[in-house]
Amino acid sequence: MADRVYPSSKPNPHPPQPLNGGGPAFPPTKSQVNSATRLPYRPQPKPRRSRRGLCCSCCLWFIMLLVVLVILAAIAGGVFYAIYRPQRPAFSVSVLRIAALNVSAAGHLSSRVDLNVTARNPNKKLIYFYDPISVSVLSGGVDIGDGSIPAFVLDAGSATVLSATTSSSGQTLDSAAGNDLRKSSSLPLEVDMDTKAGVKIGGLKTKKIGIKVRCAGIRAPVPKAKASAAVSPGDGCKVKLRIKIWKWTL
């Protein structure tokens, strides 16, 4: 015997409404619900990098590049030193003679100093090539003569003797300096030399750098009635390299 179906005694407060005036009403599908609640797509603008961030990035890359260049230069310098063992050139005053020295009553100086300078290249694989050398002879800070030595080339492991004559004519001295030069029978002297030199390695020539040479501790007799004797100091001179980086000289 079939079961009977009895209608519910409670009325439905929300009866389904027909669509378009007729037919049964169906609940909305999941896709319809999602499409109804989904917001319309709006493309978002790309964030712009600030100028400060861009500047920081450029500075970082520049510092990294600088560090790499410094490391490469240090490696190249180490390899060069290990292969060639470079040494500074050596200078010494082998002979010096005060040929003439006269101070007038008005304080005018007239002098002539002859000297020989020995230049040596202690390197076995490097050749030095020099510009003309300016030579100054001083006594107690007073310049008593200036001269020059022509340009020359010094081969590896060689030495050469360079002759120079310094002179002064008409230079006016103060009374104290003039009196000291008149009364002295011998003078303490310093020889200053200034030039530029480069290095030749095979077929490669480097850029020239400044060289300052000072020879001190020399004492020579002052000529009176006859010519004075020459002295042979033979002591080595101090050699300083003057490397210029942009506006600074080291």
Side-chain angles (χ1 to χ4, degrees):
M1 184 175 181
D3 295 335
R4 292 183 180 181
V5 178
Y6 297 94
S8 175
S9 59
K10 298 181 180 180
N12 188 0
H14 302 289
Q17 300 294 330
L19 296 176
N20 298 329
F26 297 96
T29 62
K30 185 176 182 181
S31 61
Q32 291 175 342
V33 173
N34 291 339
S35 61
T37 58
R38 185 183 303 167
L39 297 176
Y41 173 75
R42 294 180 181 179
Q44 300 294 327
K46 295 182 179 180
R48 296 182 179 179
R49 299 181 65 180
S50 63
R51 293 183 179 180
R52 183 177 180 181
L54 184 61
C55 182
C56 291
S57 299
C58 293
C59 291
L60 180 61
W61 280 106
F62 176 76
I63 293 174
M64 292 178 62
L65 178 62
L66 186 62
V67 170
V68 171
L69 292 178
V70 170
I71 294 175
L72 292 178
I75 294 174
V79 173
F80 177 82
Y81 182 82
I83 295 175
Y84 295 100
R85 299 285 180 176
Q87 300 180 49
R88 296 183 181 183
F91 292 86
S92 62
V93 178
S94 52
V95 178
L96 185 145
R97 182 173 69 93
I98 301 178
L101 182 67
N102 181 45
V103 180
S104 66
H108 298 299
L109 172 66
S110 177
S111 66
R112 195 188 86 197
V113 179
D114 300 325
L115 67 155
N116 291 341
V117 178
T118 302
R120 294 182 177 85
N121 182 3
N123 299 282
K124 298 181 179 180
K125 298 181 181 180
L126 306 180
I127 299 175
Y128 285 119
F129 54 99
Y130 292 86
D131 282 351
I133 303 176
S134 61
V135 183
S136 299
V137 178
L138 301 95
S139 177
V142 178
D143 189 350
I144 63 173
D146 298 309
S148 63
I149 297 174
F152 65 98
V153 176
L154 197 56
D155 293 330
S158 65
T160 186
V161 178
L162 310 169
S163 298
T165 297
T166 67
S167 61
S168 177
S169 178
Q171 178 184 352
T172 303
L173 304 177
D174 58 59
S175 59
N179 291 332
D180 290 341
L181 292 179
R182 288 192 201 97
K183 296 176 181 179
S184 300
S185 58
S186 64
L187 295 177
L189 300 177
E190 293 179 351
V191 179
D192 287 347
M193 292 176 282
D194 197 357
T195 185
K196 286 185 176 182
V199 177
K200 183 178 180 182
I201 310 171
L204 177 65
K205 288 185 177 181
T206 65
K207 185 178 179 181
K208 294 179 180 179
I209 62 174
I211 294 180
K212 180 75 173 180
V213 182
R214 167 157 286 193
C215 308
I218 305 171
R219 195 168 192 93
V222 177
K224 296 300 181 181
K226 57 181 181 179
S228 64
V231 295
S232 302
D235 295 335
C237 306
K238 293 183 179 180
V239 180
K240 293 183 179 181
L241 304 181
R242 297 187 303 170
I243 302 174
K244 188 174 183 180
I245 302 177
W246 196 26
K247 297 181 180 180
W248 298 277
T249 301
L250 305 179

